[in-house]
Amino acid sequence: MKAYTISAIQQIGVGTVDFRQSWDWYIKMFGFDIKILEDDTVAERMLPYTGGKAQKRHACIAVNLQGGGGLEIWQYSQRAPQPASFKVSAGDTGVFAAKVKCRDVAAFHRELSARWGKCSPVSKDPSGVPCFYVEDLFGNIFQIIERKDVFIDDHKYCGGIAGAMVGVSDMEASLKFYQEVLGYDRVIYDETGNFGDWSILPGSEEKYRRVLLGRSGSPAGAFSGLLGTNVIELVQALEHKPRKIFEGRYWGDPGFIQICYDVTGMDALGEFCASKGCPFTVDSCPNGEQFDMGEASGRFTYIEDPDGSLIEFVETHKVPVVGKLGLYIDMNRRDKLKQLPKFLFRMMGLVSRQK
């Protein structure tokens, strides 16, 4: 048995030029209305990716109780966020689209397109799963994919994050990383050509190789019931040289800034990653200290994929249920692989929606 687990995608980070506008949009359009934590302090541990200077920022992690990963919505507070100087195209290296799960794609498309015009037609991905794409108010692309599983039924069409599309420059090198390091051992499809479901994406008329990866077995961990299963789609452009999405910019600038995984056994995971040639580039608690994140605490680390795209690992130590009443879950006092009961997430929902 491994001394560590990589459970599921906890969240995908999205940098923005307007924290409040972005979060309001994700609440109204996707239902990310449950705040797990909010923090308005200085990011002191990310110096390799913030120009060697600690940067003040306003960030939150929000989830949809119907299940799936969350969004970490992130804005610099004292520095002007720098958008990419070019329109991000399919296959540009880094996360160029996030996947959001949906119980009924056709119905949600009718609802969303009536409220927000920037939606592609409903289509199917290469495995035949119904999907469509939507561009948010600041140009980030989300693929809405059909999945019937629901964690807590809030009577919404939409759930949380179910994966990401990652542009890569060398498919074989990236497959080795995502399969061997992150455990995506199942190839769902591996297709090369032109793809009709991509009409909304810049560069969609060109040829690409798309490989969708999943995991065999079910995720383990305290939050695995909420987070559920996820996929990673690797995309290689075959007719143009991809650009690096964050070239010359900082972590936290607009766009998808990282994929974050819920983990246990961080020390053992660090040894494993180093043995695979991808040691931690950031460690919030290198000496075993506790790192506070607003009302929550834990330890986070980062590694890079072969193109320098950022992968975050978070081992949670304390999570608030009703922070104002001092009600927290101490993860160090329980079996970290045992799922938290649904009623705790229902309590978080009740508290968060009352604010």
Side-chain angles (χ1 to χ4, degrees):
M1 182 177 177
K2 291 180 179 178
Y4 67 87
T5 62
I6 301 175
S7 176
I9 292 177
Q10 183 199 85
Q11 41 91 355
I12 287 180
V14 56
T16 179
V17 298
D18 192 308
F19 171 87
R20 191 68 256 176
Q21 281 191 29
S22 289
W23 193 7
D24 284 347
W25 194 92
Y26 296 131
I27 291 172
K28 293 173 184 176
M29 302 301 173
F30 295 158
F32 284 87
D33 58 349
I34 306 303
K35 182 181 73 174
I36 300 299
L37 63 88
E38 185 171 0
D39 197 16
D40 190 6
T41 56
V42 176
E44 298 177 335
R45 314 297 172 98
M46 295 298 293
L47 300 186
Y49 303 113
T50 57
K53 179 182 177 181
Q55 302 281 353
K56 193 171 188 299
R57 52 77 167 108
H58 188 187
C60 77
I61 294 177
V63 301
N64 182 323
L65 287 184
Q66 296 209 157
L71 285 174
E72 181 181 22
I73 305 156
W74 208 101
Q75 182 191 352
Y76 281 102
S77 301
Q78 296 176 337
R79 169 185 174 271
Q82 299 297 310
S85 61
F86 55 90
K87 184 70 173 177
V88 175
S89 297
D92 283 344
T93 58
V95 178
F96 67 88
K99 295 174 181 279
V100 174
K101 73 175 191 175
C102 174
R103 68 205 303 176
D104 187 333
V105 158
F108 185 52
H109 183 269
R110 289 192 295 270
E111 177 186 280
L112 189 61
S113 58
R115 293 188 290 146
W116 183 257
K118 299 179 181 180
C119 300
S120 76
V122 173
S123 185
K124 292 183 178 179
D125 76 3
S127 65
V129 173
C131 67
F132 70 94
Y133 295 78
V134 59
E135 182 178 329
D136 77 4
L137 73 173
F138 293 120
N140 300 300
I141 299 294
F142 292 82
Q143 182 194 31
I144 312 300
I145 58 171
E146 190 154 287
R147 285 215 346 220
K148 301 297 186 182
D149 57 297
V150 172
F151 181 60
I152 293 175
D153 195 346
D154 267 343
H155 307 290
K156 303 172 185 174
Y157 290 124
C158 198
I161 295 295
M165 289 184 164
V166 183
V168 303
S169 61
D170 183 331
M171 182 62 77
E172 299 310 318
S174 293
L175 280 171
K176 183 179 177 67
F177 173 84
Y178 284 92
Q179 290 175 323
E180 295 185 5
V181 178
L182 297 183
Y184 288 94
D185 59 343
R186 187 165 65 96
V187 176
I188 299 170
Y189 58 72
D190 185 345
E191 300 287 341
T192 298
N194 303 98
F195 298 97
D197 62 310
W198 277 8
S199 61
I200 199 173
L201 298 176
S204 61
E205 70 282 355
E206 296 184 8
K207 289 184 177 180
Y208 296 86
R209 183 180 174 190
R210 296 172 61 176
V211 182
L212 185 67
L213 300 174
R215 288 177 169 146
S216 56
S218 300
F223 303 96
S224 58
L226 171 68
L227 302 178
T229 59
N230 60 82
V231 294
I232 292 292
E233 184 164 4
L234 304 179
V235 177
Q236 183 175 1
L238 301 179
E239 295 185 1
H240 74 270
K241 183 178 179 180
R243 294 162 294 189
K244 185 173 182 178
I245 294 171
F246 275 86
E247 185 70 48
R249 299 193 297 142
Y250 291 173
W251 170 84
D253 276 332
F256 295 111
I257 59 180
Q258 86 266 328
I259 305 172
C260 174
Y261 291 87
D262 180 59
V263 306
T264 62
M266 190 71 82
D267 287 336
L269 177 58
E271 293 176 4
F272 171 75
C273 289
S275 75
K276 292 293 184 178
C278 47
F280 292 161
T281 57
V282 169
D283 187 343
S284 68
C285 306
N287 300 312
E289 66 273 28
Q290 182 166 287
F291 182 79
D292 289 327
M293 299 173 284
E295 295 180 326
S297 67
R299 178 183 179 185
F300 69 82
T301 61
Y302 278 76
I303 62 173
E304 298 180 3
D305 84 353
D307 289 291
S309 303
L310 295 181
I311 304 297
E312 182 183 14
F313 300 125
V314 169
E315 186 166 28
T316 303
H317 297 160
K318 182 182 74 173
V319 62
V321 178
V322 185
K324 288 185 177 180
L325 300 180
L327 180 57
Y328 299 89
I329 302 168
D330 185 343
M331 303 301 294
N332 295 318
R333 292 174 176 261
R334 69 184 307 277
D335 182 351
K336 294 183 179 181
L337 297 183
K338 183 180 179 181
Q339 288 188 15
L340 289 168
K342 285 186 180 182
F343 80 84
L344 290 174
F345 295 100
R346 293 183 191 276
M347 288 179 64
M348 291 180 193
L350 287 172
V351 172
S352 185
R353 288 170 178 155
Q354 288 174 354
K355 293 180 178 179

